[in-house]
Structure formats: structure tokens, C-alpha cells
């Protein structure tokens, strides 16, 4: 009976639980039962191979019992009566002879090494960390050997603090998939990266932060693409202005007032519409008592509202009006923002040129947290990190493959592997599964 569900190997005797190096293993004797396969190669021109003896070799397979499962493979040996060579029985359908493992278990381990952190992948499958990492390296090298970034229509560039350094990240903002990472973010490195890629004309939208290097890259590499400065990088500066205004104002207050304001500093950064009504009441009270903060908060909120504009013209008009009517005492706090608005005016308002309002928010959300997780992951070099990120959140392995082999009931198969989907990623990071 073929209960092992292998292609050509059959159990040749009852499985046994065996003690080995102080640990239990589940041993299943198997063979190409009832007849051995032909020899795996021809030894010489005469090639008179006759059955010789049999050897037993260990191959790991997926777990059946909650302990490592080992196939004790009985393999026929042939001896040549002409040249004397010993040749093994062919046995490639189920077994990987380099790793001494079944093909199906190897596949599971490879996907586990992409989907989980190395330690979990190792523990769950009863193999060593170093074995998983070596398997991952081989798998990733194989998969990425001919990997070539296909440029998307909507390209997002950003940087993340990963493994103790700022790393360049390129993503397809339409699908949320990661395209590639570079160990550094310098203009030369980013320029060289894009210079090698084909089909640059395919990029219609280039979304970036306010770094001049990216603007140069966009101008040189994607002159026809719409260059958009990411909304979140802009409104963050409005929040910074608000925070600076509040801090300055606080220093003018008596101790008690200062302390009570300090405790509520997050409120000033929150959007009014997103606040719970009780928070709105608290904030309204504070703003009534402190007209200076009221002015700063209202200005910040109105700045945010520019992004609700229906058209570019409307947004530009509203911004001009906001600047013209800014209370003079606020100017110095919002100067970094207004200066950036001046320097990046075309790119910032390009936001309104596309029916879809593209932002880099997906990649931005990862900042910091990735680093926290990765620094803990054993054996995680930048090269491995890059490969893992592309395999896990890129376009190489179909989503359903990463989902099917998960075996984790907490994973919603519909979400797994869907690129930089924030909820999936956050969950993965929180659970230490990156
Ligand atoms: Zn021979």
C-alpha cells in the first residue's frame, strides 16, 4: 500500500521509533519495492552491470509523528563485470541526493524559510537553524539568479532603516509588491540601479520623498513620468510645525499648565475628524484657553485639508490663501514646511494630477519596526534580508504557494504574501515571523 504517497518508494517494513543521539526519530524503511530501478548511469562501453548488494541511506521527510521522520532508503547497488565499477540504482523521483531529503520536504522547508523567520522554520520542522539557512541560501540564489526588476507603472522609492543602515527600497505601488532593495541610498547607487533596467518608459508615476537625489534620478531616468512628492512626507512637516509651536509655547507657561499640556501633546497631532468626541471636547477646551495653540492647530488642520481638494488648481489656490492668511507669530514654526512647499511646489501638487492619489504610505509604515525584528533574527545579513524581502513580498513566488504550505491557522490565505500589505506585514512583524 502506498500510504507514504511517494512516487516510486514504498514502505518495505513497519515504521519504528528509534533513539538516536538521545532523541527520538520515526524511521520508515523504504525501497523501490518490489523491483529495484535500473542503474543511475552507464559505467563503460561494455556496461555489464549485475545486481550487487544493497545499501541503506537516511533521507529526511516531512513529519508524520511529532518527531523527525527519516526514510531508511534501501538502494540497490550494481557491479560491472567488465570495469568493476559500482553503480547505484536510479532514485531521483522522490529524493534529493545533495541534501539527503525528499523533494517534497525540501520544498516545504524552502517555503517555510521564506515565510517564517529561520528559527521558527527550523523548530517547526525539526531541523537545525543552520540547515534552514543553507537551504534558504540555495533556494534564494536559484530563484533570484535571473531575477530582473520589471518596472511598474507606479513606482515608489523610499528608504528604510534596516539592519542598522538606511536602505533604498523600490516598490510597485499599485500591487504593493517590493521590487528590490539596495544596501545604501546614494544618488549614484540608485541611478546605477535604474540605469540597468529596461522599459523605463513604462513608468508613468514616480513617487518619492523630498530628497533631491530622487528628483535627479526621476529627471534622468524617467523624464516622462509624473514626479510626485509623497503626501505623507509633506503633512508630516505640518505636524512638525505644530509640535514645535506647542513646545515653544509650553516654555512660556507655569509648571502646572506645562505639565498638563505635555501629557496631551499627541492630541495636537491628531486629525480633528478622526478623534473621538470626548477627545474633541478636551482639545476644544484647551484650544479655547490657549489662543496661540488654537491658531497653530487650525492652521495645521487646514493644511491637511488641502489634500481633500478635488483638483490641482483648487489645492494650489487654497494653499496660497493659507500662506497669505497665516498669523505672523506662526510663521517661524511652519517655515520648514513653507520652504519645502516652495522648493517642491510642482511635485507636491502633482499629487492631484492622477485620478488615483498615490502615496508611499505602505513602505513608510515599515520604518523602524523592520529593523527591530531583523536585528534579532539569527543569520540575517543584508543579502539574505534583501532576498527574503523579494521572495516574500515580491512577484517571484505565487501568493498561493506561500499560503498553502503555511500550516498556520492564524494566517489568512487571502492575505499572505500580498506584498507590502500593511496589515499582513504588521502581523508578521509583531509575531516575529518575518
Ligand atoms: Zn563497466
Amino acid at each position: 500500500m502506498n500510504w507514504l504517497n511517494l512516487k516510486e518508494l514504498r514502505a518495505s517494513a513497519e515504521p519504528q521509533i528509534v533513539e538516536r543521539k538521545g532523541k527520538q526519530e520515526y524511521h520508515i524503511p523504504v525501497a523501490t519495492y518490489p523491483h529495484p530501478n535500473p542503474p543511475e548511469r552507464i559505467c563503460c562501453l561494455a556496461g555489464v552491470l549485475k545486481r550487487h548488494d544493497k545499501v541503506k541511506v537516511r533521507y529526511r521527510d516531512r513529519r508524520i509523528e511529532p518527531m523527525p521522520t527519516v526514510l531508511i532508503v534501501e538502494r540497490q547497488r550494481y557491479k560491472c563485470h567488465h570495469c568493476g565499477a559500482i553503480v547505484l540504482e536510479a532514485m531521483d523521483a522522490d529524493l534529493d541526493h545533495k541534501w539527503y531529503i525528499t523533494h517534497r520536504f525540501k520544498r516545504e522547508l524552502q517555503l517555510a524559510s521564506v515565510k517564517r523567520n529561520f528559527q521558527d522554520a527550523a523548530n517547526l520542522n525539526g531541523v537545525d537553524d543552520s540547515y534552514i539557512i543553507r537551504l534558504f541560501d540555495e533556494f534564494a540564489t536559484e530563484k533570484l539568479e535571473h531575477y530582473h526588476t520589471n518596472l511598474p507603472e507606479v513606482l515608489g522609492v523610499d528608504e528604510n532603516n534596516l539592519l542598522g543602515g538606511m536602505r533604498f527600497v523600490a516598490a510597485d505601488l499599485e500591487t504593493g509588491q517590493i521590487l528590490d532593495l539596495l544596501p545604501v541610498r546614494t544618488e549614484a547607487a540608485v541611478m546605477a540601479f535604474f540605469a540597468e533596467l529596461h522599459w523605463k518608459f513604462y513608468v508613468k508615476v514616480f513617487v518619492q520623498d523630498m530628497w533631491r537625489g530622487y528628483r535627479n534620478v526621476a529627471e534622468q531616468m524617467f523624464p516622462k513620468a509624473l514626479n510626485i512628492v509623497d503626501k505623507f512626507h509633506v503633512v508630516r512637516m505640518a505636524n512638525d510645525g505644530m509640535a514645535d509651536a506647542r513646545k515653544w509655547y509650553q516654555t512660556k507657561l507655569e509648571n502646572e499648565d506645562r505639565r498638563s499640556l505635555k501629557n496631551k501633546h499627541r492630541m495636537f497631532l491628531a486629525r480633528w475628524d478622526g478623534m473621538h468626541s470626548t477627545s474633541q471636547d478636551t482639545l476644544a477646551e484647551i484650544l479655547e484657553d490657549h489662543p496661540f495653540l488654537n491658531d497653530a492647530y487650525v492652521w495645521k488642520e487646514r493644511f491637511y485639508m488641502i489634500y481633500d481638494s478635488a483638483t490641482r488648481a483648487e489645492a494650489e489656490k487654497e494653499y496660497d490663501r493659507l500662506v497669505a492668511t497665516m498669523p505672523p507669530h506662526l510663521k517661524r514654526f511652519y517655515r520648514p514646511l513653507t520652504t519645502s512647499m516652495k522648493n517642491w511646489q510642482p511635485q507636491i501638487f502633482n499629487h492631484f494630477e492622477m485620478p488615483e492619489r498615490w502615496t508611499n504610505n505602505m513602505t513608510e509604515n515599515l520604518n523602524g519596526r523592520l529593523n527591530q525584528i531583523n536585528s534579532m533574527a539569527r543569520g540575517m545579513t543584508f543579502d539574505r534580508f534583501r532576498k527574503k524581502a523579494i521572495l516574500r513580498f515580491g512577484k517571484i513566488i505565487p501568493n498561493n504557494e506561500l499560503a498553502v504550505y503555511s500550516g498556520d491557522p492564524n494566517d489568512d490565505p487571502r492575505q499572505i504574501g500580498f506584498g507590502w500589505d500593511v496589515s499582513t506585514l504588521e502581523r508578521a512583524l509583531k509575531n516575529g515571523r518575518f
Side-chain angles (χ1 to χ4, degrees):
M1 197 177 69
N2 184 21
W3 57 274
L4 270 173
N5 210 16
L6 290 162
K7 290 195 178 92
E8 61 183 14
L9 295 170
R10 304 285 180 268
S12 55
E14 285 298 309
Q16 286 179 348
I17 294 172
V18 174
E19 195 96 6
R20 187 169 184 268
K21 293 177 187 167
K23 281 177 190 157
Q24 289 196 320
E25 286 183 351
Y26 195 66
H27 281 194
I28 309 172
V30 298
T32 48
Y33 184 81
H35 304 293
N37 284 340
E40 63 180 357
R41 63 182 173 86
I42 292 164
C43 51
C44 62
L45 280 173
V48 198
L49 288 158
K50 298 280 181 202
R51 280 191 204 180
H52 185 53
D53 58 355
K54 288 174 176 177
V55 286
K56 284 182 181 171
V57 186
R58 294 164 50 90
Y59 286 79
R60 287 292 308 271
D61 193 17
R62 59 161 77 127
R63 284 192 200 188
I64 296 177
E65 297 292 319
M67 64 187 84
T69 293
V70 182
L71 303 181
I72 306 299
V73 180
E74 193 179 81
R75 207 169 176 190
Q76 179 69 49
R77 295 208 301 174
Y78 296 89
K79 187 171 183 180
C80 178
H81 285 202
H82 185 76
C83 72
I86 300 280
V87 181
L88 283 160
E89 163 185 12
M91 224 178 238
D92 292 331
D94 300 303
L95 302 176
D96 182 301
H97 302 303
K98 177 182 168 194
W99 295 87
Y100 293 97
I101 189 171
T102 57
H103 292 314
R104 64 184 180 189
F105 189 45
K106 185 180 183 186
R107 182 75 183 152
E108 280 186 20
L109 292 177
Q110 286 169 334
L111 292 174
S113 74
V114 170
K115 218 187 119 37
R116 303 175 183 284
N117 75 42
F118 295 138
Q119 258 170 294
D120 285 355
N123 291 342
L124 283 164
N125 290 289
V127 297
D128 292 339
D129 289 13
S130 64
Y131 188 80
I132 277 280
I133 292 174
R134 280 185 289 128
L135 261 178
F136 173 84
D137 285 346
E138 185 199 71
F139 181 61
T141 304
E142 213 175 270
K143 282 280 175 187
L144 293 175
E145 195 189 349
H146 301 292
Y147 177 65
H148 194 80
T149 304
N150 288 317
L151 284 166
E153 273 192 53
V154 184
L155 173 64
V157 294
D158 213 336
E159 52 281 330
N160 282 71
N161 192 358
L162 304 169
L163 300 163
M166 291 307 278
R167 323 290 190 169
F168 170 76
V169 182
D172 177 341
L173 294 184
E174 274 183 298
T175 62
Q177 284 166 316
I178 182 174
L179 300 169
D180 212 334
L181 285 85
L182 297 178
V184 292
R185 187 212 64 168
T186 61
E187 190 178 320
V190 175
M191 200 75 90
F193 169 72
F194 285 119
E196 283 197 0
L197 302 182
H198 303 295
W199 305 84
K200 284 195 260 296
F201 62 85
Y202 194 65
V203 176
K204 304 267 188 301
V205 182
F206 184 95
V207 184
Q208 64 162 94
D209 58 19
M210 283 173 273
W211 184 51
R212 205 163 286 276
Y214 288 146
R215 186 155 86 188
N216 297 339
V217 168
E219 277 166 6
Q220 281 198 40
M221 297 288 157
F222 310 101
K224 296 246 169 74
L226 186 72
N227 185 204
I228 298 179
V229 162
D230 178 47
K231 168 188 170 180
F232 289 93
H233 287 91
V234 179
V235 294
R236 196 160 60 194
M237 299 187 81
N239 267 359
D240 290 345
M242 174 72 237
D244 287 347
R246 177 192 54 80
K247 280 180 212 156
W248 176 84
Y249 181 73
Q250 263 172 209
T251 62
K252 310 282 161 215
L253 297 176
E254 299 296 324
N255 275 340
E256 201 163 312
D257 275 345
R258 189 185 306 172
R259 258 195 301 277
S260 81
L261 271 186
K262 213 171 178 179
N263 292 334
K264 299 190 176 66
H265 66 100
R266 284 178 192 283
M267 277 192 150
F268 296 100
L269 304 182
R271 297 294 312 276
W272 181 262
D273 288 340
M275 261 186 239
H276 195 271
S277 63
T278 54
S279 303
Q280 283 182 343
D281 292 346
T282 312
L283 184 59
E285 251 172 65
I286 298 171
L287 296 178
E288 211 173 289
D289 292 345
H290 304 279
F292 175 87
L293 292 177
N294 185 65
D295 289 351
Y297 185 77
V298 168
W299 200 88
K300 188 262 296 181
E301 283 294 290
R302 283 179 55 193
F303 183 83
Y304 264 88
M305 281 156 67
I306 291 173
Y307 277 98
D308 300 332
S309 304
T311 64
R312 177 187 198 123
E314 198 180 294
E316 284 176 327
K317 211 174 113 191
E318 178 58 19
Y319 177 68
D320 288 345
R321 205 158 63 85
L322 260 186
V323 172
T325 59
M326 187 184 326
H329 57 272
L330 289 181
K331 280 190 179 150
R332 61 188 178 115
F333 303 108
Y334 286 112
R335 188 154 297 127
L337 172 63
T338 51
T339 305
S340 292
M341 291 296 288
K342 207 176 286 172
N343 293 339
W344 292 88
Q345 194 268 348
Q347 292 84 0
I348 287 172
F349 288 104
N350 277 345
H351 176 84
F352 298 92
E353 291 295 333
M354 301 292 285
E356 194 105 29
R357 301 287 158 84
W358 298 108
T359 74
N360 263 355
N361 194 28
M362 285 189 289
T363 45
E364 266 300 285
N365 266 302
L366 299 172
N367 236 331
R369 270 168 294 170
L370 275 178
N371 193 39
Q372 209 184 333
I373 302 299
N374 297 327
S375 57
M376 301 188 310
R378 196 175 300 168
M380 190 60 90
T381 59
F382 176 77
D383 182 53
R384 286 199 183 105
F385 180 86
R386 171 184 169 267
K387 287 171 174 166
K388 195 156 173 164
I390 296 173
L391 289 174
R392 176 112 171 243
F393 300 111
K395 309 186 184 201
I396 291 177
I397 302 178
N399 294 346
N400 60 345
E401 279 195 65
L402 285 175
V404 165
Y405 285 90
S406 120
D408 183 342
N410 294 321
D411 288 333
D412 178 349
R414 285 162 303 175
Q415 287 198 21
I416 290 162
F418 186 72
W420 296 91
D421 176 80
V422 175
S423 64
T424 310
L425 252 184
E426 277 187 359
R427 209 151 38 85
L429 295 175
K430 234 179 270 164
N431 301 342
R433 286 193 280 106
F434 189 72

